[in-house]
Amino acid sequence: MEQRYARESRCFKTSRIFPTDVNNHNTLFGGKLMSYIDDIASIAAHKHCRRSVVTASTDSVDFLSPIHTSDSVCLESFVTWTGKSSMEVFVKVVTEDLKTGARKIAATSFLTFVALDDNKVPVEVPQVIPETEEETKLHESAPQRAEMRRMRRVESKKLAGFFTMKYPWE
């Protein structure tokens, strides 16, 4: 089985926060950050497997600290764990106050991607090899998160079977 180091998928994105990016609380709009997260996570997944990928789930986005217009935001992502055709990607969001240099973890997120072949059929991905303490901690705790994802998916499918697909005016 092919293997790749977590560092081979690691990527970064740094952005400045502009007034057009904020919500009514004058902090970064959550949807904007979620877009950044999905973008950088998809790049990490693609780098890991060198195949097209599709987002299977956004497992969590934990907003830990507000992001202000005086901040820059740096997203770091890498593949933490792999299944047969799926990859768990971790995204860490670090803000830096551009005036003081103070940094803090503003958000964390886990997403799952599936690798696809040219016919859009799921394809096997290389296993990931952690090296750093951070990578190892996330790799070791990944099976627990995978089980939670599996259970949540089963429940989501059950719930989806309950919902109507009619429009309100029908």
Side-chain angles (χ1 to χ4, degrees):
M1 180 70 189
E2 188 179 357
Q3 297 181 328
R4 292 213 173 98
Y5 292 102
R7 67 177 139 83
E8 295 179 75
S9 67
R10 192 176 302 270
C11 45
F12 300 88
K13 174 187 185 90
T14 303
S15 296
R16 179 176 213 125
I17 308 305
F18 290 105
T20 55
D21 299 326
V22 299
N23 57 27
N24 57 314
H25 302 288
N26 209 31
T27 59
L28 181 63
F29 179 57
K32 181 85 167 182
L33 183 60
M34 291 169 71
S35 176
Y36 287 166
I37 287 169
D38 190 49
D39 181 43
I40 195 75
S42 72
I43 294 169
H46 202 134
K47 285 175 67 172
H48 180 75
C49 66
R50 297 297 176 190
R51 298 270 190 173
S52 293
V53 297
V54 63
T55 308
S57 70
T58 300
D59 305 337
S60 65
V61 179
D62 294 314
F63 300 98
L64 305 174
S65 182
I67 303 169
H68 304 280
T69 54
S70 59
D71 296 332
S72 68
V73 63
C74 180
L75 290 85
E76 175 184 359
S77 67
F78 56 93
V79 173
T80 59
W81 186 80
T82 57
K84 184 175 179 179
S85 61
S86 64
M87 295 160 280
E88 179 188 78
V89 179
F90 174 67
V91 180
K92 174 174 50 177
V93 180
V94 178
T95 63
E96 180 177 344
D97 185 306
L98 293 172
K99 293 178 184 173
T100 67
R103 293 182 186 163
K104 58 188 169 194
I105 304 289
T108 59
S109 183
F110 287 96
L111 300 90
T112 303
F113 289 84
V114 173
L116 303 175
D117 67 13
D118 294 337
N119 297 314
K120 301 195 182 339
V121 175
V123 62
E124 277 192 52
V125 298
Q127 293 178 340
V128 66
I129 304 168
E131 295 176 286
T132 68
E133 187 177 341
E134 191 175 61
E135 292 167 357
T136 301
K137 170 85 170 163
L138 293 171
H139 184 76
E140 288 172 352
S141 57
Q144 264 184 298
R145 288 187 300 277
E147 179 59 21
M148 290 182 347
R149 274 192 294 276
R150 189 195 64 72
M151 290 183 341
R152 189 175 61 242
R153 186 169 174 82
V154 167
E155 289 304 312
S156 291
K157 283 185 174 185
K158 281 185 200 174
L159 198 54
F162 171 77
F163 295 134
T164 180
M165 290 177 266
K166 291 183 178 182
Y167 292 112
W169 56 86
E170 292 183 321

